[in-house]
Amino acid sequence: MSKLKVVGEKSLTNSSRVVGLLAQLEKINTDSTEPDTARYVTSKILHLAQSQEKTRREMTTKGSTGMEILLSTLENTKDLQTVLNILSILVELVSSGGGRRASFLVAKGGSQILLQLLMNASKESPPHEELMVQTHSILAKIGPKDKKFGVKARVNGALNVTLNLVKQHFQNYRLVMPCLQLLRVYSTNSVNAVSLGKNGVVELMFKIIGPFSKKNSGLMRVALDTLAALLKSKTNARRAVDRGYVQVLLTIYVDWHRHDNRHRNMLIRKGILQSLKSVTNIKLGRKAFIDANGMKILYNTSQECLAVRTLDPLVNTSSLIMRKCFPKNRLPLPTIKSSFHFQLPVIPVTGPVAQLYSLPPEDDVLDESDDNEDADFEAEHEVENEDDLDQNFKNDDIETDINKLRPQQVPGRTIEELKMYEHLFPELVDDFQDYELISKEPKPFVIEGKVRGPIVVPTAGEEASGSSRSVKKGAGVKEKVSPKGEEATEDARGSDRTLPQQLGGQNRAAASAHSFSSDIVKALDRITLQNVPSQVSPGVAAGMRKDCGLPLSVLSCTKACPHVATCGSTLFEGRTGQLGKLCCTGVETEDEEDSESSSSVEQASSVEVPDGPTLHDSDLYIEIVKTTKSVPEYSEVAYPDYFGHIPPPFKEPILERPYGVQRTKIAQDIERLIHQNDILDRVAYDLDNPNYATPEDGDILKFNSKFESGNLRKVIQIRKSEYDLILNSDINSNHYHQWFYFEVSGMRPGIAYRFNIINCEKSNSQFNYGMQPLMYSVQEALNARPWWIRVGTDICYYKNHFSRSSVAAGGQKGKSYYTITFTVSFPHKDDVCYFAYHYPYTYSTLQMHLQKLESAHNPQQIYFRKDVLCETLSGNSCPLVTITAMPESNYYEHICQFRNRPYIFLSARVHPGETNASWVMKGTLEYLMSNSPTAQSLRESYIFKIVPMLNPDGVINGNHRCSLSGEDLNRQWHSPHPDLHPTIYHAKGLLQYLAAVKRSPLVYCDYHGHSRKKNVFMYGCSIKETVWHTHDNAASCDVVEDMGYRTLPKILSHIAPAFCMSSCSFVVEKSKESTARVVVWREIGVQRSYTMESTLCGCDQGRYKGLQIGTRELEEMGAKFCVGLLRLKRLTSTLEYNLPSNMFDFENDLIESSCKVTSPTTYVLDEDEPRFLEEVDYSAESNDELEVELVENTGDYEPSAQEEALSDSEVSRAHMP
């Protein structure tokens, strides 16, 4: 036959042989020539398709008509051999081309034509076997690429055709195999799965699968895949349970596990587990699994698989099934409401607090209906467009209404109402006639009559010896306690010693102090102190019980200490008090003079320690604690807060987690159910039981959290060295458990203690990705190492078997808790150690720092005011700080320049658990109060209004997120209630007042912490970028917007090593409309309104890449933020400064940059600001409906993060940039 050339075939060469054959085939279709000709042409095309990849590529290239010609012939021909040839050609095309060629066939209408061919062929009796094999094979390959395939197959009646073929030709494995493959594709549609189940497909599958056999393993593997897909239907799962198939699956699995010694049939074993995983999605399936002893069977088999790395898919799937089937328990608490109650002045009518007040006393009784149980029937009707969902990510939370996005300044309150804030802005009216403005020269800071060096800006990159924030030069203090309590001053020679010299002295002193400090720690909880009037020397006589083996002279103390009791703040007045394991430490702070004694006992006890932070004063801290009002009426002080923290002189890298640690921990939890007799289940600490007595047993640890910011509710000893810890809910709430801060004592060295915090709520945490908890050791502090350090091994975070009822969870069914687990070995016997989620920073610490800053500043150079913004619900004052430079003189021009400085408004710590925000704020405050020329320039450029702690009550009482109102204050900015949210109401009032007097801030920034991302980054507000995110490019192009909101983040990305511009987002979301950032932008009209988020973990870019973040880096970020503001001033006031030309280029680059959002947003539960799709999938769910197949790789398998966080650190790191 002659080859025909097709003119206009752009994608095919004219010389191509297959083109001519296709053209001839098209002519045959038109002319209805003899079938022999069509048979011959299609056989030639088949030969070319089988032998040449070029031919296959040409036939499926975009623009080719080859596929249409083949399908047209297939649809019209009556010749069986021609049909078989074309089916063989199609099989060749889709088999070698991957998904693209299958999608190409679907796009040309192949699914419908092939389904119709299947139906026509089924009418013949008997149906042609080869035709059925080929048709099913090709449909099984293209079906997954057709979104409507399930509907098409059901409408055409193909389901029963395929099912009947399997039933009628049960022994014909060649025909049954492609039929099963197509049944699996059918079953991905839930309605099809139900329909097939009613026709006996589940029973049919169990006739095919069976015990170990070397024959027909391929068929069994396909049958198991089909069964797993079918059992995802709850109707089919119930049918399988009713017929006892759960026991059958377990029996078959054990048989294959025992006989598959060479692990050649791992896919079959995995298929059995996938079927078990599907059937246990329903409550009946889980019960049947437990009744069939499935927990023990899978536990034992998975433990036997641990030695073979390639069997990890089996171990991980077994773990998923066991976790899912582990009986759900409520927390061992009388109520999940907070242990403490605060009566609100106003009870909200609606919202979570109103619901909480309406709950019964037994608020967390497990509700069987919560257990993800299905309804009595499933929908038999399918929504026709269910498969037609948009596959592209779309965040419905993004605000799309441009009218709502446009900032609209709303006065909110009348000018008369706002006049109540006039007294907080004296800088706008003061004429400074009574001030002595005679010098602009910096003066040294004087604290209590002593000359001090300037407050040095912390620079995290420098060595500790170069920064007064870490270890002050020559600040080693020797304290020798006299029996008479007398103090003597030691000559402060050698004040310029470097850090290595200090550390050498510390090591020498540590040996001599060891016996004393060890005895001190033993006796700490037996020391009682008598307060004395403040005008008397701070030395106080220390008494002790008769059983205390230390001489009285050793226990003489120079610290005034509070008392442990239940009666409140009045207990400090003239009563005997106990300092909760912190006093008589032999350590003095920087402002106290050295003491000495000739007593040999005291000489042996001298401890040389580096000086504490410049702003820390232990005596002042105690005085402030006495006036701090807490709901539990705390009377103890935690040692770290009393003595202070200095950053350690070493870096702390992000933890590398060993492979398999998470599944090992989960297996140990499963052992609790299998070996219940091994569990001690002994209460070691109970905040709900006032009569609880600490066990005197030497083998049990002692716990405490009855101090400011403390959070630990209950401790249960599980095994000899393993403890379950339960955190307290936020007050007037029954959830928000993440922040912890507690004390541990009574430990033994050399023992690995495992701590499980079992009632966390977020679906994942940076604890899964290298973050460690923090520990402060009293013994280490006595040995000249007074710092918080990152500790713990085998750390992971995963869903556990505790859950809340739907009532307690606010309507969410089966809301599960999560476990943070970590293992610690203590270096010292009978030490007193503290653990915390992040570096603690209490309300009393803030007040102490502010007092020290106020007393230390030079009033002729720095304008500093500390006012009370308002009182909180419990009566604590919320401080408001104003900082700027004093005017050069009281001349009119200088006063005008002073008053016309733009405002910068800063706030922090609206969420109590985000303590890193306070450390960043501390860095900002210290920088603003420093004597550096840049700080002076900054003060001369702006007036700073700062609310350093928006939620004092939450901080004091150890809350994680809420205030005493039980509400997230950062969701109340739109309409704050003056009685329930006073700090937000009045902070917003300040901003409204500034707007009313036409002095809106240039920048507003709210400091926060982020629990699930690394680095420091910002959220801002942009109409253009928000619209751009909705994929409405036309609308975004129409928006005209000043890009100045990007300037400050861009500056910070250049000057702050911890800051990451690529993590910043400027999208406005509906769920964030009541946050400070959005309200200040929208209602006050502040374009540069930001939230600055600091990681709780560490950095994955820049200078600190691979390091956990510490207080030095956080304070540095606060200082760098100030430097960024100064650069912002220069960029926005270029005429005032002679700047290098590259700075102008930098500004132009910012303004002209295209609208890019580098981090797409996605939903993340309870996060503070726009939700990012992380590089790492942080889902830690283990029994959700979403099913994700295990990777088919039988080599070095590492589970994906999507598999309900059974992955380990290797997996997470593989996903990280």
Side-chain angles (χ1 to χ4, degrees):
M1 292 187 179
S2 62
K3 299 177 184 176
L4 301 178
K5 295 183 180 180
V6 181
V7 180
E9 209 47 81
K10 295 181 180 178
S11 60
L12 304 179
T13 61
N14 290 336
S15 60
S16 173
R17 185 179 175 192
V18 72
V19 173
L21 291 171
L22 287 168
Q24 184 149 358
L25 184 60
E26 184 177 22
K27 184 178 180 182
I28 292 170
N29 291 339
T30 306
D31 299 342
S32 300
T33 321
E34 289 296 320
D36 289 346
T37 309
R39 199 178 305 154
Y40 178 79
V41 173
T42 52
S43 66
K44 287 292 185 182
I45 297 174
L46 174 61
H47 175 72
L48 290 173
Q50 289 174 333
S51 59
Q52 297 181 12
E53 169 60 25
K54 177 184 176 183
T55 299
R56 297 190 290 268
R57 188 168 56 249
E58 286 178 344
M59 294 178 68
T60 55
T61 303
K62 184 178 180 181
S64 170
T65 59
M67 192 68 78
E68 288 99 321
I69 295 171
L70 289 174
L71 291 174
S72 175
T73 306
L74 185 65
E75 191 173 16
N76 297 321
T77 185
K78 304 294 184 183
D79 182 62
L80 178 61
Q81 188 58 50
T82 302
V83 170
L84 292 173
N85 287 344
I86 294 175
L87 289 175
S88 297
I89 294 169
L90 296 178
V91 169
E92 288 294 331
L93 292 178
V94 300
S95 297
S96 59
R100 188 191 66 80
R101 291 181 182 175
S103 299
F104 185 77
L105 179 54
V106 169
K108 299 299 182 182
S111 301
Q112 185 62 45
I113 293 172
L114 289 166
L115 285 169
Q116 190 59 50
L117 177 65
L118 176 64
M119 295 307 299
N120 294 336
S122 67
K123 295 174 183 177
E124 299 181 10
S125 184
H128 193 278
E129 179 180 325
E130 184 64 26
L131 179 59
M132 286 299 185
V133 170
Q134 295 279 28
T135 308
H136 280 84
S137 296
I138 189 69
L139 283 171
K141 292 179 184 297
I142 70 171
K145 299 297 180 180
D146 188 348
K147 297 177 182 179
K148 292 282 189 178
F149 186 76
V151 179
K152 292 175 183 177
R154 186 169 67 254
V155 170
N156 279 279
L159 304 184
N160 289 332
V161 170
T162 304
L163 181 56
N164 290 332
L165 276 175
V166 177
K167 290 179 178 178
Q168 294 165 10
H169 303 83
F170 193 69
Q171 300 301 323
N172 188 344
Y173 295 144
R174 183 171 179 272
L175 177 58
V176 170
M177 176 78 83
C179 289
L180 290 178
Q181 291 172 336
L182 187 55
L183 282 174
R184 186 187 187 284
V185 178
Y186 291 157
S187 301
T188 56
N189 179 291
S190 59
V191 178
N192 289 351
V194 172
S195 177
L196 289 167
K198 289 182 177 179
N199 290 318
V201 71
V202 175
E203 293 82 355
L204 185 61
M205 293 301 103
F206 277 95
K207 291 181 181 179
I208 299 175
I209 65 175
F212 177 81
S213 172
K214 294 183 180 179
K215 297 180 180 180
N216 304 315
S217 60
L219 182 66
M220 182 164 177
R221 184 168 66 247
V222 174
L224 284 167
D225 288 344
T226 306
L227 180 62
L230 287 163
L231 292 178
K232 289 177 182 177
S233 159
K234 294 176 181 178
T235 301
N236 292 339
R238 278 199 303 275
R239 184 174 285 107
V241 172
D242 292 342
R243 286 160 176 72
Y245 289 148
V246 174
Q247 177 70 67
V248 173
L249 286 170
L250 286 168
T251 303
I252 293 174
Y253 182 73
V254 171
D255 189 65
W256 280 88
H257 173 79
R258 289 174 178 170
H259 291 92
D260 188 24
N261 296 322
R262 297 188 178 182
H263 312 304
R264 292 177 176 175
N265 295 295
M266 193 190 75
L267 292 178
I268 290 178
R269 293 158 67 182
K270 190 186 75 173
I272 300 170
L273 290 176
Q274 291 288 5
S275 297
L276 282 168
K277 183 180 174 185
S278 295
V279 80
T280 51
N281 279 338
I282 64 169
K283 185 174 65 178
L284 286 175
R286 293 190 284 275
K287 184 177 184 302
F289 178 83
I290 294 291
D291 293 344
N293 203 23
M295 295 290 283
K296 191 169 185 179
I297 290 171
L298 289 195
Y299 175 80
N300 290 334
T301 55
S302 62
Q303 293 301 300
E304 292 169 9
C305 291
L306 286 175
V308 184
R309 186 72 171 267
T310 55
L311 299 182
D312 280 357
L314 305 183
V315 177
N316 293 330
T317 309
S318 297
S319 295
L320 287 177
I321 297 168
M322 288 186 286
R323 290 173 67 191
K324 188 193 307 183
C325 296
F326 202 117
K328 291 293 181 184
N329 294 324
R330 66 186 296 272
L331 291 170
L333 298 172
T335 171
I336 62 170
K337 297 176 187 174
S338 173
S339 296
F340 310 124
H341 175 72
F342 181 83
Q343 185 61 45
L344 296 176
V346 179
I347 306 298
V349 179
T350 60
V353 180
Q355 294 174 5
L356 185 77
Y357 273 78
S358 65
L359 285 178
E362 286 290 324
D363 59 352
D364 197 29
V365 178
L366 277 185
D367 184 353
E368 290 299 318
S369 67
D370 292 342
D371 204 8
N372 296 327
E373 185 52 293
D374 50 304
D376 293 335
F377 62 91
E378 289 188 45
E380 297 295 337
H381 303 286
E382 184 180 48
V383 179
E384 289 301 318
N385 63 353
E386 68 171 12
D387 295 317
D388 203 21
L389 299 176
D390 185 8
Q391 297 301 308
N392 296 323
F393 169 75
K394 183 177 181 181
N395 187 347
D396 292 332
D397 193 30
I398 296 178
E399 182 60 73
T400 56
D401 188 337
I402 295 183
N403 292 326
K404 291 184 179 179
L405 282 173
R406 295 189 189 280
Q408 299 173 353
Q409 294 191 31
V410 181
R413 285 181 259 177
T414 66
I415 191 66
E416 293 301 321
E417 293 177 296
L418 293 174
K419 283 185 177 179
M420 65 183 291
Y421 300 110
E422 277 184 346
H423 72 284
L424 296 175
F425 293 91
E427 65 273 9
L428 294 179
V429 295
D430 202 332
D431 58 9
F432 294 91
Q433 297 304 310
D434 297 330
Y435 290 77
E436 293 184 11
L437 305 174
I438 58 174
S439 173
K440 289 182 63 177
E441 292 299 317
K443 292 186 178 181
F445 282 18
V446 179
I447 302 179
E448 298 176 7
K450 298 183 184 179
V451 177
R452 297 292 183 189
I455 300 178
V456 179
V457 179
T459 303
E462 298 177 359
E463 291 299 320
S465 59
S467 170
S468 66
R469 292 296 314 122
S470 52
V471 181
K472 189 177 176 182
K473 293 181 181 180
V477 178
K478 294 183 179 180
E479 178 182 348
K480 301 166 187 176
V481 184
S482 168
K484 299 180 181 179
E486 297 175 354
E487 297 181 355
T489 304
E490 180 182 289
D491 185 19
R493 286 175 291 181
S495 60
D496 57 346
R497 287 185 301 157
T498 60
L499 177 63
Q501 292 173 312
Q502 290 183 22
L503 294 179
Q506 293 167 12
N507 294 335
R508 288 190 297 274
S512 63
H514 178 73
S515 59
F516 168 75
S517 60
S518 176
D519 292 338
I520 281 291
V521 172
K522 291 180 183 179
L524 282 177
D525 58 349
R526 296 192 291 269
I527 301 171
T528 58
L529 300 168
Q530 182 73 32
N531 282 294
V532 294
S534 57
Q535 64 268 23
V536 182
S537 172
V540 281
M544 63 179 182
R545 298 178 185 173
K546 292 181 180 180
D547 60 351
C548 180
L550 293 177
L552 180 61
S553 59
V554 174
L555 295 175
S556 299
C557 178
T558 60
K559 302 281 184 259
C561 303
H563 165 58
V564 177
T566 59
C567 54
S569 60
T570 57
L571 56 90
F572 291 103
E573 299 170 3
R575 296 192 182 186
T576 303
Q578 174 186 352
L579 180 64
K581 300 187 180 76
L582 64 78
C583 202
C584 299
T585 60
V587 179
E588 285 288 350
T589 59
E590 59 164 349
D591 296 331
E592 296 172 12
E593 299 181 0
D594 304 336
S595 60
E596 64 180 7
S597 169
S598 59
S599 169
S600 60
V601 176
E602 284 92 35
Q603 287 176 350
S605 71
S606 64
V607 180
E608 188 173 27
V609 219
D611 197 357
T614 306
L615 298 183
H616 195 84
D617 183 328
S618 299
D619 288 334
L620 177 59
Y621 185 83
I622 294 298
E623 292 304 313
I624 293 172
V625 167
K626 294 178 183 180
T627 62
T628 299
K629 300 171 184 176
S630 62
V631 174
E633 299 180 337
Y634 290 135
S635 55
E636 296 182 53
V637 177
Y639 185 94
D641 302 324
Y642 168 77
F643 184 69
H645 157 80
I646 61 173
F650 49 81
K651 301 295 185 183
E652 297 177 289
I654 290 174
L655 183 68
E656 295 283 337
R657 193 170 71 182
Y659 181 85
V661 63
Q662 185 156 314
R663 69 184 185 197
T664 301
K665 298 300 180 184
I666 292 169
Q668 291 172 3
D669 288 352
I670 292 168
E671 288 174 8
R672 298 189 189 189
L673 185 67
I674 299 173
H675 307 297
Q676 296 185 17
N677 293 333
D678 297 341
I679 303 304
L680 298 177
D681 201 26
R682 180 164 58 163
V683 176
Y685 180 71
D686 191 355
L687 210 59
D688 293 295
N689 184 2
N691 300 320
Y692 173 77
T694 304
E696 295 299 327
D697 190 338
D699 290 334
I700 190 169
L701 294 177
K702 298 176 179 60
F703 296 83
N704 181 34
S705 64
K706 298 174 182 176
F707 45 79
E708 186 175 347
S709 294
N711 191 320
L712 181 64
R713 181 170 186 170
K714 190 172 185 178
V715 180
I716 300 171
Q717 186 180 22
I718 301 300
R719 299 179 177 96
K720 186 175 181 180
S721 58
E722 181 178 355
Y723 295 83
D724 279 358
L725 283 63
I726 302 174
L727 304 180
N728 198 17
S729 305
D730 285 6
I731 293 175
N732 274 319
S733 171
N734 60 7
H735 55 131
Y736 298 118
H737 316 96
Q738 208 80 16
W739 166 257
F740 58 86
Y741 183 19
F742 58 87
E743 172 194 288
V744 181
S745 58
M747 64 284 292
R748 298 287 181 268
I751 297 176
Y753 292 94
R754 177 183 173 185
F755 298 102
N756 311 308
I757 300 175
I758 63 173
N759 65 330
C760 298
E761 291 182 275
K762 290 194 175 183
S763 59
N764 213 311
S765 165
Q766 282 288 327
F767 282 117
N768 269 343
Y769 306 100
M771 186 168 86
Q772 295 173 279
L774 286 145
M775 186 183 82
Y776 191 106
S777 163
V778 172
Q779 280 276 27
E780 288 293 296
L782 294 174
N783 292 334
R785 292 180 286 274
W787 45 62
W788 287 96
I789 58 169
R790 304 274 188 170
V791 297
T793 58
D794 294 346
I795 301 171
C796 49
Y797 186 100
Y798 57 90
K799 179 183 281 189
N800 58 37
H801 60 279
F802 293 103
S803 66
R804 289 171 285 172
S805 67
S806 59
V807 175
Q812 301 179 63
K813 289 190 174 182
K815 186 69 175 178
S816 295
Y817 288 109
Y818 293 80
T819 292
I820 299 171
T821 181
F822 57 93
T823 301
V824 176
S825 294
F826 298 97
H828 304 291
K829 182 180 180 181
D830 291 326
D831 196 358
V832 178
C833 293
Y834 293 80
F835 289 94
Y837 181 62
H838 198 67
Y839 300 94
Y841 191 102
T842 65
Y843 169 79
S844 299
T845 299
L846 171 67
Q847 293 285 40
M848 173 188 66
H849 286 168
L850 292 179
Q851 285 196 33
K852 298 293 284 186
L853 285 172
E854 184 174 23
S855 64
H857 83 282
N858 181 348
Q860 291 186 330
Q861 181 181 358
I862 302 175
Y863 181 96
F864 178 93
R865 281 182 58 90
K866 184 166 78 77
D867 297 293
V868 175
L869 174 65
C870 63
E871 280 201 347
T872 65
L873 285 172
S874 64
N876 293 293
S877 62
C878 179
L880 170 67
V881 175
T882 306
I883 301 174
T884 187
M886 293 294 286
E888 187 172 345
S889 73
N890 52 20
Y891 290 158
Y892 175 78
E893 293 83 356
H894 293 154
I895 298 298
C896 283
Q897 189 277 338
F898 175 88
R899 294 178 180 175
N900 288 319
R901 293 169 187 167
Y903 275 93
I904 303 290
F905 200 108
L906 306 177
S907 59
R909 207 66 184 282
V910 71
H911 294 143
E914 297 167 7
T915 58
N916 47 356
S918 283
W919 288 100
V920 177
M921 179 58 76
K922 179 174 182 284
T924 295
L925 288 168
E926 290 190 37
Y927 184 88
L928 290 175
M929 296 296 289
S930 69
N931 282 335
S932 70
T934 52
Q936 178 62 19
S937 178
L938 185 64
R939 290 190 295 267
E940 291 172 354
S941 302
Y942 300 114
I943 300 174
F944 288 85
K945 283 289 182 184
I946 302 175
V947 185
M949 192 170 284
L950 278 167
N951 191 353
D953 288 344
V955 172
I956 293 166
N957 293 286
N959 284 5
H960 174 66
R961 195 168 185 88
C962 299
S963 69
L964 294 186
S965 70
E967 297 167 295
D968 182 347
L969 290 182
N970 203 36
R971 297 297 184 276
Q972 312 303 324
W973 278 80
H974 182 64
S975 302
H977 192 287
D979 296 323
L980 293 177
H981 324 119
T983 59
I984 305 302
Y985 180 83
H986 293 293
K988 185 178 181 181
L990 293 180
L991 289 158
Q992 290 173 322
Y993 176 83
L994 286 173
V997 298
K998 309 302 181 185
R999 297 296 303 276
S1000 292
L1002 177 69
V1003 172
Y1004 170 76
C1005 190
D1006 193 19
Y1007 293 2
H1008 283 258
H1010 205 289
S1011 66
R1012 290 192 263 185
K1013 285 181 68 67
K1014 292 182 171 65
N1015 310 310
V1016 181
F1017 50 93
M1018 274 181 160
Y1019 297 124
C1021 301
S1022 163
I1023 303 175
K1024 193 177 184 70
E1025 297 195 28
T1026 302
V1027 175
W1028 183 88
H1029 246 292
T1030 64
H1031 307 293
D1032 189 352
N1033 294 324
S1036 64
C1037 291
D1038 294 338
V1039 175
V1040 178
E1041 187 175 40
D1042 182 0
M1043 296 288 288
Y1045 62 87
R1046 276 183 165 262
T1047 310
L1048 182 57
K1050 190 71 173 178
I1051 292 170
L1052 292 174
S1053 71
H1054 282 261
I1055 65 174
F1059 195 89
C1060 179
M1061 185 68 189
S1062 64
S1063 292
C1064 296
S1065 174
F1066 305 93
V1067 174
V1068 178
E1069 293 179 293
K1070 298 173 186 175
S1071 61
K1072 305 302 171 63
E1073 63 182 6
S1074 285
T1075 60
R1077 168 181 63 97
V1078 176
V1079 169
V1080 173
W1081 171 71
R1082 181 177 288 163
E1083 297 184 18
I1084 310 299
V1086 178
Q1087 183 201 26
R1088 295 180 177 88
S1089 179
Y1090 305 104
T1091 294
M1092 187 163 71
E1093 298 273 3
S1094 301
T1095 180
L1096 291 164
C1097 177
C1099 298
D1100 57 14
Q1101 54 84 48
R1103 188 197 307 171
Y1104 304 139
K1105 182 177 181 179
L1107 298 176
Q1108 294 187 79
I1109 203 157
T1111 57
R1112 184 185 289 112
E1113 291 78 20
L1114 292 169
E1115 291 184 51
E1116 178 195 61
M1117 186 64 236
K1120 294 293 186 183
F1121 181 82
C1122 295
V1123 176
L1125 290 174
L1126 187 58
R1127 293 198 181 183
L1128 177 68
K1129 170 71 173 179
R1130 293 171 179 173
L1131 284 172
T1132 55
S1133 307
T1134 52
L1135 295 178
E1136 292 183 32
Y1137 298 88
N1138 295 319
L1139 295 176
S1141 58
N1142 62 343
M1143 182 62 74
F1144 291 106
D1145 295 338
F1146 169 54
E1147 181 190 16
N1148 293 332
D1149 177 61
L1150 292 176
I1151 303 303
E1152 295 171 3
S1153 64
S1154 61
C1155 179
K1156 296 179 181 178
V1157 179
T1158 53
S1159 297
T1161 59
T1162 188
Y1163 181 77
V1164 177
L1165 178 66
D1166 282 343
E1167 279 310 326
D1168 196 39
E1169 290 296 342
R1171 300 133 175 175
F1172 282 93
L1173 180 64
E1174 280 263 18
E1175 293 85 353
V1176 178
D1177 181 359
Y1178 277 162
S1179 171
E1181 300 295 319
S1182 64
N1183 59 358
D1184 291 343
E1185 292 291 326
L1186 183 63
E1187 296 286 344
V1188 180
E1189 296 298 326
L1190 282 167
V1191 178
E1192 293 289 341
N1193 179 22
T1194 58
D1196 290 335
Y1197 174 84
E1198 292 187 2
S1200 66
Q1202 285 90 341
E1203 288 191 62
E1204 290 94 13
L1206 269 172
S1207 61
D1208 291 293
S1209 60
E1210 296 84 353
V1211 182
S1212 62
R1213 284 193 296 277
H1215 289 279
M1216 283 184 165

